[in-house]
Amino acid sequence: MTVDVPTATRLLARARDLIDPADAALLLAHALGKPRSWLFAHADDLLGEADAARFDALLARRVAGEPVAYLTGSRGFWTLDLAVTPATLVPRPETELLVELALARLPAVAPVRVADLGTGSGAIALALAKERPRAHVVATDASPEALEVARGNAVRNRIGNVAFRLGSWLAPLAGECFDLIASNPPYIADGDPHLSQGDLRFEPAMALSCGPDGLDAIRIIVRDAPACLRPGGWLLLEHGWDQGEAVRALLAEAGFVDAATARDLEGRDRITLGRHL
């Protein structure tokens, strides 16, 4: 899959017939060890055969469906540069809505306590900790491998006000109280055909699906969160586009008030939140 005289322009032109052009640019920049801006300034520079071969290998893996973030080893989220591996979900732009909603409920100067359940790469916990440096943030995950990635991302982004704990959902938080609990738990139904398509095939199954209707993890979190929330504390949950009504009902049954669902930029139900009395 190489060309006689490889240049960035020629390699990208061919790749655009196979994958998204933005993905192609990211992969070529990664293969060259250069920023994407370099590709435009040096579009017609001759590249080495080894450069083209590295790009071709990445291109083939992307065509096979591997997420770009796994191929490059990183993904931007909020204002952070996060390392990601197949042990973690790839952080998605829609999850930034959860961060925005959480920040609106966290005072900028108070020493609040925040928990992020199922932290994965640490995206939510680290974004909140960076924006609220006086907050004490605790991030939990049942995967030791994911926690190791999250710890590394705290170092990578020089964020020191986050503690990481191994365990499922709220189990590592027993006996503690928080002002806000946030989570992007698995919410795809077991057996959903999307799990065997595209990028999802390569992401950790335990972070994607949970139960016949996808709500098993959310049920556990809603059930256990009141014991770990201070009066007036908030619970924020990311979920699927068709689950807003069901999650609001779960919150109401658990005694939460002011339950509401926020929509993402595409107008789909995305985050449901409620306040603990």
Side-chain angles (χ1 to χ4, degrees):
M1 294 179 67
T2 59
V3 294
D4 292 336
V5 184
T7 66
T9 296
R10 291 182 178 181
L11 292 176
L12 289 175
R14 187 194 58 211
R16 289 188 187 108
D17 293 331
L18 302 172
I19 64 174
D20 182 90
D23 290 350
L26 280 170
L27 293 179
L28 181 55
H30 180 69
L32 298 175
K34 304 287 186 180
R36 277 182 293 174
S37 58
W38 187 94
L39 300 179
F40 302 102
H42 301 268
D44 296 318
D45 287 10
L46 298 184
L47 303 177
E49 291 295 332
D51 295 326
R54 281 193 300 274
F55 175 64
D56 286 341
L58 291 170
L59 178 61
R61 291 169 64 186
R62 180 60 188 143
V63 169
E66 284 191 60
V68 172
Y70 290 166
L71 297 177
T72 63
S74 67
R75 171 58 61 90
F77 179 84
W78 199 250
T79 60
L80 308 171
D81 176 38
L82 299 174
V84 293
T85 77
T88 70
L89 283 182
V90 177
R92 288 165 168 79
E94 52 265 34
T95 302
E96 293 187 356
L97 175 60
L98 189 153
V99 174
E100 292 175 10
L101 293 168
L103 290 173
R105 288 156 180 81
L106 293 172
V109 296
V112 292
R113 289 176 56 81
V114 180
D116 171 29
L117 312 179
T119 196
S121 64
I124 295 169
L126 294 172
L128 295 176
K130 182 174 181 180
E131 298 295 335
R132 296 291 183 266
R134 294 198 64 192
H136 175 68
V137 182
V138 178
T140 74
D141 206 290
S143 165
E145 294 81 9
L147 274 186
E148 189 64 25
V149 174
R151 287 191 186 98
N153 279 327
V155 175
R156 181 184 185 126
N157 289 276
R158 299 181 180 180
I159 298 172
N161 54 325
V162 183
F164 299 94
R165 298 183 191 170
L166 179 65
S168 179
W169 308 126
L170 291 111
L173 309 180
E176 299 180 63
C177 280
F178 295 83
D179 298 281
L180 184 145
I181 296 173
S183 182
N184 177 19
Y187 51 74
I188 301 175
D190 293 344
D192 187 297
H194 292 94
L195 294 169
S196 59
Q197 300 171 5
D199 291 13
L200 295 185
R201 293 173 295 155
F202 295 87
E203 297 189 77
M206 67 180 290
L208 290 170
S209 66
C210 194
D213 61 358
L215 293 172
D216 281 4
I218 289 177
R219 289 190 181 94
I220 292 170
I221 293 169
V222 172
R223 180 196 69 195
D224 294 345
C228 292
L229 277 170
R230 291 173 176 159
W234 287 90
L235 175 64
L236 291 84
L237 298 161
E238 182 169 337
H239 53 72
W241 64 271
D242 58 349
Q243 295 172 330
E245 183 178 359
V247 178
R248 291 195 301 275
L250 289 172
L251 289 172
E253 291 169 11
F256 286 86
V257 297
D258 300 330
T261 299
R263 293 182 173 180
D264 60 24
L265 292 176
E266 296 187 10
R268 301 171 299 189
D269 284 2
R270 182 58 58 192
I271 311 293
T272 293
L273 62 163
R275 185 169 58 86
H276 177 51
L277 285 176

